Amino acid sequence: MQYSVLDLSPVPEGHDAAEAIANTVDLARHAEAQGYRRFWMAEHHNMPGIASAATSVLIGHVAGATERIRVGAGGIMLPNHSPLMVAEAFGTLATIHGDRIDLGLGRAPGTDMATARALRRGGGNGEEFPNDVVELMNYLGAPRDGARVRALPGEGTHVPVWILGSSLYGAELAAMLGLPYAFASHFAPQALEQARELYRARFQPGALDQPRFMLAINVFAAESDARGAYLRSSMQQAFARLRLGQPGKLPRPVDDVTQILPAQAVEMADEALRITAVGGPQTVRDRLEALIAEHRPDEVILTGQIHDHEARKESFERAADILRDLGAERAAA
């Protein structure tokens, strides 16, 4: 089973976007050395703690700084863009970097509604998402005789398209189009089981012959359970503050988040972030093994917003070691 990284290019308190982007490049190189299959970045807007708003630009920057790892979007929020412009951007990336570029597509705005209105000059609201996906795939596919509009560069690059989602809608669309499907279980796990089964049951061969399901997992791996929980507290705070309408940079970790946040906000954050492996080596191993056994993903994509960059690199390294061991044990069995 392959394992990958989802990075939001977090901007920690006390740092700026330039440092966050430099850290993203460093993490991508580290992930490549650790055997990660993909390094994906996500489109978010008007968020002080995330530096990946211009996602395709950052993908090109990371792809140019790495050699083998696949680099892509997890994802591009398609209603914010015209399909042609996305096809041209990712077709250009593929023309420069070859078969290393992935394109994950979502239909959420990736921001607040005021910013969504600023992004969507044409007034789109996501209702055309299925048609836009098909249009985009056509632009990236084989040259079409008589086509009046073409993506140049883009045409013939066949950039792999994934559907991203946190509901049954995305699962059904991915199944209908025969596309790989990545579920956003790292922050919205409520429909995970239903979406997983719906996708597999209704899958029709298309771009793929068989379904390919990716499970997103938060990981905070450290030398001890206490240290892992301490590192996780930054993401708990950030998520709770976002839901409370107080977005900001990634907070510094604390020993006890209940001392600085309302209990209800902490409970809400913990429920949303429950697809998480946190702690020392054995605790993280047990949790990853259990999640993989339960959901049977074809691939896992790991994320984890950790304030200290070196601790974040160490967490992904520890997780890679564990997943390699689990894979070797499964192969031997």
Side-chain angles (χ1 to χ4, degrees):
M1 187 184 61
Q2 295 173 338
Y3 50 97
S4 298
V5 171
L6 172 63
D7 179 40
L8 303 185
S9 198
V11 185
E13 288 181 349
H15 300 271
D16 59 22
E19 292 171 286
I21 291 171
N23 287 342
T24 282
V25 172
D26 188 45
L27 180 62
R29 289 172 172 157
H30 190 63
E32 183 172 67
Q34 295 300 316
Y36 282 93
R37 170 68 172 164
R38 311 173 201 276
F39 191 91
W40 282 5
M41 287 154 280
E43 177 186 346
H44 293 278
H45 300 279
N46 198 31
M47 294 188 182
I50 295 176
S52 57
T55 316
S56 59
V57 176
L58 197 54
I59 288 169
H61 184 51
V62 169
T66 53
E67 296 178 1
R68 302 174 307 279
I69 195 169
R70 299 190 66 85
V71 186
I76 292 295
M77 301 299 104
L78 189 52
N80 295 342
H81 314 275
S82 76
L84 177 60
M85 291 191 69
V86 175
E88 289 172 339
F90 279 79
T92 300
L93 289 168
T95 300
I96 296 169
H97 300 288
D99 184 24
R100 293 178 55 209
I101 304 299
D102 294 326
L103 174 55
L105 299 173
R107 70 184 184 109
T111 186
D112 59 90
M113 295 315 298
T115 308
R117 286 191 292 271
L119 286 164
R120 299 174 183 180
R121 293 287 185 178
N125 59 7
E127 292 180 0
E128 293 298 314
F129 183 67
N131 293 333
D132 287 349
V133 171
V134 172
E135 181 182 347
L136 174 51
M137 292 172 63
N138 285 336
Y139 287 136
L140 294 171
R144 295 167 293 151
D145 292 339
R148 296 183 63 187
V149 180
R150 301 161 62 191
L152 302 168
E155 186 177 84
T157 57
H158 301 281
V159 175
V161 171
W162 290 67
I163 298 297
L164 315 180
S166 59
S167 69
L168 304 186
Y169 182 99
E172 190 159 14
L173 179 62
M176 181 179 67
L177 296 178
L179 293 172
Y181 178 54
F183 191 85
S185 38
H186 60 301
F187 74 93
Q190 291 80 5
L192 169 58
E193 291 79 6
Q194 286 179 284
R196 178 196 70 203
E197 294 309 311
L198 177 69
Y199 170 64
R200 288 171 170 156
R202 298 192 181 180
F203 182 86
Q204 302 174 36
L208 300 179
D209 294 329
Q210 300 290 333
R212 184 170 185 83
F213 175 68
M214 179 188 282
L215 178 71
I217 306 173
N218 299 294
V219 173
F220 304 90
E223 67 272 16
S224 68
D225 287 358
R227 175 67 174 170
Y230 177 74
L231 296 177
R232 182 189 181 217
S233 68
S234 292
M235 191 166 182
Q236 288 174 294
Q237 294 176 73
F239 196 89
R241 290 177 181 177
L242 180 62
R243 290 295 175 90
L244 292 170
Q246 304 166 3
K249 292 185 176 182
L250 184 65
R252 292 179 173 84
V254 295
D255 291 321
D256 185 359
V257 293
T258 64
Q259 297 299 310
I260 58 175
L261 290 172
Q264 186 175 4
V266 176
E267 291 173 6
M268 175 272 299
D270 287 347
E271 170 58 25
L273 303 174
R274 62 181 168 84
I275 305 300
T276 294
V278 53
Q282 190 61 50
T283 303
V284 170
R285 177 191 173 92
D286 290 346
R287 179 61 170 157
L288 289 176
E289 188 172 21
L291 287 169
I292 290 167
E294 178 181 1
H295 300 291
R296 310 179 316 280
D298 301 290
E299 185 170 343
V300 295
I301 187 162
L302 307 181
T303 189
Q305 297 192 52
I306 295 174
H307 186 275
D308 179 76
H309 177 59
E310 292 303 318
R312 186 164 66 128
K313 288 170 60 178
E314 180 184 341
S315 177
F316 281 111
E317 183 172 346
R318 288 178 180 273
D321 289 342
I322 291 168
L323 289 168
R324 273 195 298 270
D325 287 346
L326 291 175
E329 289 176 7
R330 290 175 66 184

